[in-house]
Amino acid sequence: NMVIPVPLTAKPFEVIPITQRAQNLTVFDANYTTPYVQTFTLGLTRSLTSKLTMDVKYVGTRGTKLTGSVALNDADVRNNGLLKALEITRAGGDAPLFDTMLKGVNLGSGVVGQAISGSEALRRNATFRAGIANGDFVAVARTLSSTNVGTTQPPLTNAGLLRSSGAFPPNFIVANPQFNEITWRTNADNSNYQSLQAQLNVRQIHGFNYQATYLWSRSLGVTSTLATTAQGSGFRDLQNQRADYTRLPSDRTHDFRSYGTFDLPFGPNKLLGGKTSGWAARLIEGWKLGTILSLTAGQPLNVVGRNTLYSNGTPEIVGAFPRKGEVVWPQNPGDIFGNFFGQQYKNVQDPGCAAVASTLTAFCTNTALADANGNIVLRNAASGQLGTLGLRTIEGPGSWSFDANLQKSVRVAEAKNLTLRVDATNVFNHPTPGNPNLNINTGTFGQINMKTGSRLLQAQLRFDF
């Protein structure tokens, strides 16, 4: 924990009072260093024939001490008894910690300590009950630390509920309660990229040129790109950032690209029209066909569960769940959207909702994922725990495209040429599916509600002189 009483925008020696909880602060690590990236390359080139060459390469990069951010001022629930107290409250019990914390406070259903217990007051309050019912305890703790809902003392600006009892230190939940967010700029990130690259080149064989490139790669690392706020984005566990070492969003396992051109066999001394001459020869000669083929594997995607710690909630594996899907487009007249799992999964109530207090049952909206036989395969992780499924474990839909162009050159006169070119993008009018919905707490898990891509034809006429 880092205690920083003076923000960068404050006047010298100005102390920010504990009751001021609206300011944000950014600080830099005292040991902040310049990031660096190392690249490793090993290649082998082989001439198979005078016109055919093969290249095989290993390319790797290692990013060390990359720029990152950490939210220093997020709520703590594991080291101060709040996690246990909220578990008791969620199950319908009365936690002594809340009796002390909320003593004398009226959250809208009676004064705590006189007409109602602290846990029951939280269960009945609209600000807290959904977070407690669904196990998002860090969100509940943030609210406890930053609001003055129901205080019986004279209103204090952003004073917080804890100010009502006086039985807890101001930094009981957050390290620096006089600030809203503290972003620590540091060397938090790293990356590790490994790839095998192969390339085949064909040089001018009977008017045919071709190049094909295949890439197999793996990109891993820890990224805190989203870890710039204490309000629910960034690392899943601020105290165990290494747990988020996984495939990076840029990772693509397979990528294939090819480009080829072919002089069509029309015109003098060619297969077709070999004996033509004059204007007839000029009209049929000089036709050239080009093609581009691209195939790319899908990007790694998160299966989303309820936030059970700080952010990016991941589900718990309780059954057989595949890491790859197969896009199925609507086949029935009433269907609108596609599905990434062949519509074999359905949402059922999360088993954790059965254990909540009766007054919270209606507010527990967590759902689990069940297979076609009703067996649960994924459920929300327990509060304070990271789901065993992990980050970016699903490979999304891949994509492919085939483009072509046809070109014809006509020599009008000495040093004067007329060129006609027609380009066709996405020749087969093949749609590229969007990423599916992978949130297990929605009723549309696996649904693909968009696709992109359309055939485009474009003609050009150019005169060179």
Side-chain angles (χ1 to χ4, degrees):
N1 294 332
M2 179 180 291
V3 178
I4 306 169
V6 182
L8 299 180
T9 56
K11 297 178 181 179
F13 307 110
E14 179 185 3
V15 177
I16 304 300
I18 295 296
T19 55
Q20 172 57 267
R21 303 189 178 197
Q23 295 199 45
N24 298 326
L25 178 66
T26 299
V27 295
F28 284 84
D29 188 345
N31 299 314
Y32 192 89
T33 60
T34 302
Y36 63 92
V37 177
Q38 298 169 294
T39 301
F40 312 93
T41 304
L42 177 64
L44 178 66
T45 300
R46 171 70 173 175
S47 294
L48 303 178
T49 69
S50 61
K51 301 288 186 177
L52 183 63
T53 60
M54 170 72 79
D55 293 276
V56 179
K57 294 181 181 180
Y58 161 78
V59 178
T61 61
R62 182 172 181 265
T64 306
K65 298 182 179 180
L66 302 180
T67 302
S69 303
V70 179
L72 286 183
N73 210 40
D74 212 336
D76 179 27
V77 297
R78 292 177 293 186
N79 303 298
N80 51 16
L82 273 177
L83 179 61
K84 183 63 176 178
L86 287 167
E87 288 175 344
I88 294 173
T89 301
R90 188 188 190 207
D94 294 324
L97 184 146
F98 290 133
D99 289 337
T100 303
M101 180 183 293
L102 304 176
K103 185 177 180 180
V105 173
N106 189 340
L107 293 180
S109 54
V111 178
V112 174
Q114 298 178 15
I116 197 172
S117 69
S119 291
E120 185 61 28
L122 291 174
R123 286 192 290 265
R124 295 184 183 185
N125 185 268
T127 302
F128 298 100
R129 60 194 180 193
I132 295 174
N134 292 302
D136 193 355
F137 292 168
V138 171
V140 174
R142 291 173 185 139
T143 306
L144 283 170
S145 177
S146 62
T147 66
N148 61 354
V149 177
T151 54
T152 56
Q153 294 183 357
L156 298 173
T157 303
N158 295 321
L161 286 171
L162 294 179
R163 297 285 294 171
S164 301
S165 65
F168 300 88
N171 63 348
F172 180 73
I173 296 179
V174 296
N176 298 273
Q178 67 270 46
F179 293 104
N180 177 36
E181 299 176 7
I182 298 178
T183 302
W184 185 32
R185 302 292 189 188
T186 185
N187 301 103
D189 295 6
N190 63 74
S191 65
N192 181 16
Y193 173 78
Q194 311 282 339
S195 70
L196 175 66
Q197 303 177 13
Q199 187 176 85
L200 181 69
N201 287 280
V202 180
R203 294 190 300 272
Q204 194 66 27
I205 299 178
H206 302 296
F208 176 67
N209 293 273
Y210 182 74
Q211 182 183 86
T213 302
Y214 170 72
L215 172 69
W216 178 90
S217 65
R218 182 67 77 187
S219 184
L220 305 172
V222 173
T223 175
S224 61
T225 304
L226 299 177
T228 57
T229 172
Q231 304 305 315
S233 62
F235 296 110
R236 291 182 298 162
D237 186 351
L238 294 173
Q239 299 174 20
N240 183 17
Q241 299 166 20
R242 185 68 182 176
D244 286 356
Y245 181 82
T246 186
R247 297 174 67 182
L248 295 177
S250 59
D251 182 41
R252 299 294 185 276
T253 305
H254 304 284
D255 186 271
F256 177 81
R257 307 289 173 96
S258 71
Y259 172 76
T261 61
F262 180 58
D263 294 337
L264 297 181
F266 304 148
N269 302 317
K270 297 294 181 67
L271 181 63
L272 300 176
K275 296 182 179 182
T276 57
S277 61
W279 278 103
R282 293 182 182 183
L283 288 174
I284 66 173
E285 69 180 357
W287 287 93
K288 181 178 291 187
L289 176 67
T291 62
I292 301 174
L293 175 64
S294 302
L295 300 95
T296 305
Q299 70 179 108
L301 303 174
N302 281 330
V303 178
V304 180
R306 181 72 61 181
N307 284 349
T308 50
L309 267 173
Y310 295 99
S311 66
N312 297 327
T314 48
E316 191 80 11
I317 303 173
V318 292
F321 181 73
R323 299 300 189 270
K324 291 186 178 180
E326 181 180 356
V327 177
V328 177
W329 293 115
Q331 297 178 347
N332 301 318
D335 293 340
I336 300 177
F337 303 118
N339 194 280
F340 192 55
F341 297 102
Q343 303 181 7
Q344 59 178 318
Y345 293 105
K346 57 184 178 180
N347 289 88
V348 297
Q349 186 182 54
D350 191 287
C353 290
V356 305
S358 58
T359 54
L360 294 177
T361 301
F363 305 101
C364 188
T365 57
N366 287 347
T367 57
L369 201 66
D371 61 21
N373 298 319
N375 300 313
I376 295 177
V377 296
L378 295 178
R379 58 170 294 180
N380 291 281
S383 298
Q385 303 294 322
L386 298 180
T388 54
L389 184 61
L391 292 173
R392 302 190 188 100
T393 55
I394 290 289
E395 190 170 287
S399 63
W400 68 272
S401 65
F402 181 78
D403 305 332
N405 61 79
L406 185 63
Q407 181 175 299
K408 161 64 178 168
S409 295
V410 178
R411 189 177 65 178
V412 178
E414 187 70 26
K416 294 181 181 180
N417 289 282
L418 184 66
T419 302
L420 172 65
R421 179 185 173 110
V422 178
D423 291 275
T425 303
N426 193 10
V427 173
F428 298 106
N429 202 27
H430 174 74
T432 299
N435 289 327
N437 173 21
L438 295 177
N439 189 335
I440 70 169
N441 291 297
T442 63
T444 57
F445 183 86
Q447 186 178 96
I448 299 175
N449 59 14
M450 67 171 293
K451 53 185 177 181
T452 59
S454 59
R455 184 188 295 117
L456 176 65
L457 297 176
Q458 180 175 323
Q460 299 178 4
L461 185 64
R462 188 179 66 191
F463 180 63
D464 298 314
F465 59 93

